[in-house]
Amino acid sequence: MELLIRNGTVVDPAAGRTFESDVLIKDGRVAAVEKKITARGARVLDAAGKLVTPGLIDMHVHLREPGQEHKETVASGTCAAVHGGFTAVAAMPNTDPVADRPEVIRYVLEKAREAGRARVYPVGALTVGSRGKELTEMGALREAGAAAFSDDGRPVADAHVMRRALEYARMLGVPVISHCEDLSLAAGVMHEGLVSTMLGLKGTPAAAEDVAVARDLILAEMTGGRLHVAHVSTAGAVRLIREAKARGVRVTAEATPHHFTLTDRAVAGFDTNAKVNPPLRADADVAAVREGLADGTIDVIATDHAPHAAHEKEVEFDLAPFGLVGLETAVGLVFTELVAGGVLDVVTAVAKLSINPARVLGLSRTIAPGAVADLTVIDPDAAWTVNRAELVSKSKNTPFHGFKLKGLPCATIVGGEVHLAARG
Amino acid sequence: MPVRHLLGLADMPAAAINEFLENALPMKQIISRDIKKVPTLRGKTVVTLFYEPSTRTRMSFELAAKYLSADTVNVSASASSMAKGESLADTARTVAALGADLVVLRHPSAGAPHLLARMVDVPVVNAGDGMHEHPTQALLDLFTLRERRPDLEGLKLVIIGDLLHSRVARSNIWCLPRFGVDVHLVAPPTLVPAGLAALGVTVHDRPEDALPGAGAVMVLRLQRERQQEGLIPDVREYARLYALNGERMALARPDAYVMHPGPMNRGIEIAPDVADGACALITDQVTNGVAVRMAVLYLLMLGRGD
């Protein structure tokens, strides 16, 4: 079966350019990228006025399976992924049980195969039970399919353990994804600042992230390990990563759409959908994250998709779990806030959603003959309004309900198969 | 006046605050009578949900309801289904289904009354939520000050104590400057929340810097667990540096009022002779608390004309 994507604007971030072209897909691979392709009998996808990009990868999601299937499953999470334009996701290991054994990695991969939607790259736990004490059998986890290692959801509090993790992961050629948070400073339920004072909520200062980022950068420099800083949210962290990169430290970083869009003011009214960790920060932090995205300090845009059931969020603010769902709003937020907002050009924005996370995870994403046909088609001009009820994720905990966005994925193609034909 | 709930004073228009206080005046007359009961709220039911131990505030609300002839049901945390794991949202639905006409909520979590107000159709009164607000306390403080000094313009009020955890301080910070009060705050830096000075008040490290010229001093209760949390090195040291004693009071105006939301730790945040001195308004605050809460119950249940 052939698929012909006709009249689209191909975005090729590897070459740093866009061009008008047809794309022919055959047997799950790109067969041709040419100005005018004729393919009799092929299914035709009209992409006039739309962008044809390398398949988007969200390298930071929580699929909640095994253990918390009432929030999300691999099937529902990958459905949300393709709905949001993502052809692949990296699934964090803080499941129940924690993905600290090869069986759990294989279980997640099997569930992903059964679901048959977005590709899933499981992230293995860095330490047993993600308790931060002993390293997992990272070699065995890697063989089972772990693409990276992290104790995401909690930091590795012990600097010695982090040092050994970076050294060991270096041997395996994979990155350590660090949730940078100094727990002794992070006692709050939101960002510490004027808004937390007004709401009478305990705050976590930006320093809780800055201190931990500084430590991990020092350890990455010392060990030569590959450090990937997850969900950067503070001006201090952006500055520290920028300086480290300039020194040649092997560090990459990601930011989430909610951290480049919302400030701590979103918590006013005690909306638990805006309770997230790291917390939504102050104006200066949001500006710094945007600057970090613009100047290349922050390589990747990832959602930290963290589904929670309605009854879990419908509680007092300090009792609610941290996290929000992000897979289905990410593309709209990137195009509205960053591209239309003049922070990033289209090519750079697409790079941060596709080839950059691919590089961090050791994957490849290109639109060239012979490449696996993982592609996303985006309508950059489609205007739409986020409606919680229309999310296909099992959980609806989004603070973006009612947001008017411009930019919508309209086809998600995984291995040549179209998983999203229309949306909006 | 379209005020449906009393969740806090941060967003409350000054006109609404005035309306509460104007209605508290006749209520105070009622509680000064021999027979303190009028039929105003007969047939109405007030539920007080106290998820945190409280004697004074609970009694004050309960008496306010009873003086107006409302029936009251008190649910405290230890006896409630909360102890069995029921969520506040489910308790709210139950209370609404049982036909309460107004709910008073005291809760350790900031914003809990906002959650409750989203869940039930009846008015919700915040009787203190975590570190957030204690609006009826600030209303009674304002009422008490105005009894002595109807025009508060230019009055320098100094609040001394644990500002970080104080909902009383926060509600007063929202309320008093709108009536011309010049609010000064004093606490050890470890007990000052972030960004406080941005709220139009002046923050000082030491009482000696704040007290000169003060026309009123409000002392906040120090909770001893703050020492365990590492926020103050020692309660005695706190008392030495921050307690309102005669020597410090001498820095204020000679006729300066002394206020305290209670209960007091005599000898820790306030010296006994200051607490019991001629300028202390502490018992007036308690009496006025009932009158103000009567006005709140009346206006939210009957006085809105809808």
Side-chain angles (χ1 to χ4, degrees), chain A residues 123-323:
Chain A
V123 175
L126 206 51
T127 65
V128 176
S130 286
R131 286 189 292 270
K133 304 283 185 209
E134 321 134 63
L135 296 184
T136 54
E137 292 180 21
M138 287 160 70
L141 291 170
R142 178 81 177 124
E143 273 173 31
F149 291 92
S150 181
D151 279 350
D152 184 63
R154 57 215 297 187
V156 177
D158 187 314
H160 172 75
V161 174
M162 191 61 172
R163 171 204 172 161
R164 297 306 183 204
L166 282 160
E167 286 172 339
Y168 204 78
R170 187 191 65 203
M171 176 266 289
L172 294 169
V174 290
V176 169
I177 301 173
S178 182
H179 171 122
C180 291
E181 182 182 21
D182 184 316
L183 289 179
S184 64
L185 285 168
V189 295
M190 67 172 295
H191 174 63
E192 180 181 306
L194 180 58
V195 181
S196 67
T197 293
M198 290 164 68
L199 295 176
L201 290 170
K202 270 195 180 171
T204 286
E209 181 167 326
D210 302 349
V211 166
V213 168
R215 184 203 73 172
D216 283 357
L217 289 169
I218 290 165
L219 293 174
E221 191 163 17
M222 169 194 177
T223 60
R226 275 174 56 200
L227 174 71
H228 179 79
V229 182
H231 41 54
V232 172
S233 75
T234 67
V238 174
R239 179 174 50 77
L240 287 161
I241 294 165
R242 183 181 291 126
E243 288 165 3
K245 279 191 165 181
R247 283 201 308 278
V249 179
R250 297 176 77 196
V251 58
T252 52
E254 73 191 27
T256 72
H258 49 276
H259 286 119
F260 65 63
T261 303
L262 301 173
T263 68
D264 54 352
R265 289 191 296 279
V267 179
F270 300 95
D271 181 5
T272 54
N273 289 313
K275 181 176 175 182
V276 65
N277 190 24
L280 301 171
R281 301 285 187 186
D283 289 300
D285 297 302
V286 174
V289 167
R290 288 174 171 235
E291 208 178 305
L293 284 161
D295 71 11
T297 301
I298 298 171
D299 311 82
V300 169
I301 295 165
T303 69
D304 195 1
H305 177 81
H308 293 293
H311 71 273
E312 295 168 321
K313 281 285 195 179
E314 194 184 68
V315 294
E316 297 85 324
F317 195 89
D318 24 353
L319 303 182
F322 291 100

Side-chain angles (χ1 to χ4, degrees), chain B residues 137-295:
Chain B
Q137 178 70 41
L139 289 175
L140 76 88
D141 289 339
L142 176 60
F143 184 87
T144 305
L145 280 170
R146 269 195 178 167
E147 266 187 333
R148 301 296 173 123
R149 202 181 133 158
D151 179 11
L152 295 176
E153 193 63 46
L155 174 75
K156 180 177 181 181
L157 171 88
V158 176
I159 303 178
I160 306 178
D162 179 358
L163 303 170
L164 182 62
H165 299 93
S166 178
R167 52 196 172 210
V168 174
R170 282 178 177 77
S171 285
N172 271 309
I173 290 167
W174 299 127
C175 179
L176 294 173
R178 277 188 255 170
F179 295 88
V181 177
D182 177 21
V183 176
H184 290 248
L185 305 169
V186 185
T190 50
L191 294 177
V192 178
L196 199 59
L199 298 175
V201 293
T202 312
V203 184
H204 306 266
D205 285 345
R206 301 294 299 269
E208 289 75 10
D209 301 332
L211 286 168
V217 187
M218 185 184 293
V219 182
L220 303 174
R221 175 182 169 78
L222 179 78
Q223 290 182 301
R224 285 161 185 269
E225 62 259 36
R226 303 307 168 216
Q227 189 183 340
Q228 271 85 58
E229 291 167 19
L231 293 169
I232 52 168
D234 180 73
V235 172
R236 293 316 315 166
E237 170 153 308
Y238 178 86
R240 201 163 53 246
L241 294 175
Y242 290 93
L244 188 65
N245 53 28
E247 202 179 319
R248 293 204 172 100
M249 257 325 271
L251 297 171
R253 289 167 55 99
D255 56 351
Y257 306 119
V258 174
M259 303 172 84
H260 193 301
M264 285 183 282
N265 294 302
R266 288 171 195 265
I268 294 179
E269 73 260 5
I270 190 163
D273 56 327
V274 174
D276 302 325
C279 292
L281 303 181
I282 297 166
T283 51
D284 296 36
Q285 288 175 277
V286 176
T287 308
N288 290 338
V290 180
V292 163
R293 287 169 182 128
M294 287 168 77

Side-chain angles (χ1 to χ4, degrees), chain A residues 103-114:
Chain A
E103 305 89 90
V104 184
I105 300 287
R106 284 195 285 266
Y107 178 85
V108 171
L109 286 170
E110 177 57 23
K111 287 285 169 188
R113 197 192 56 75
E114 281 171 19

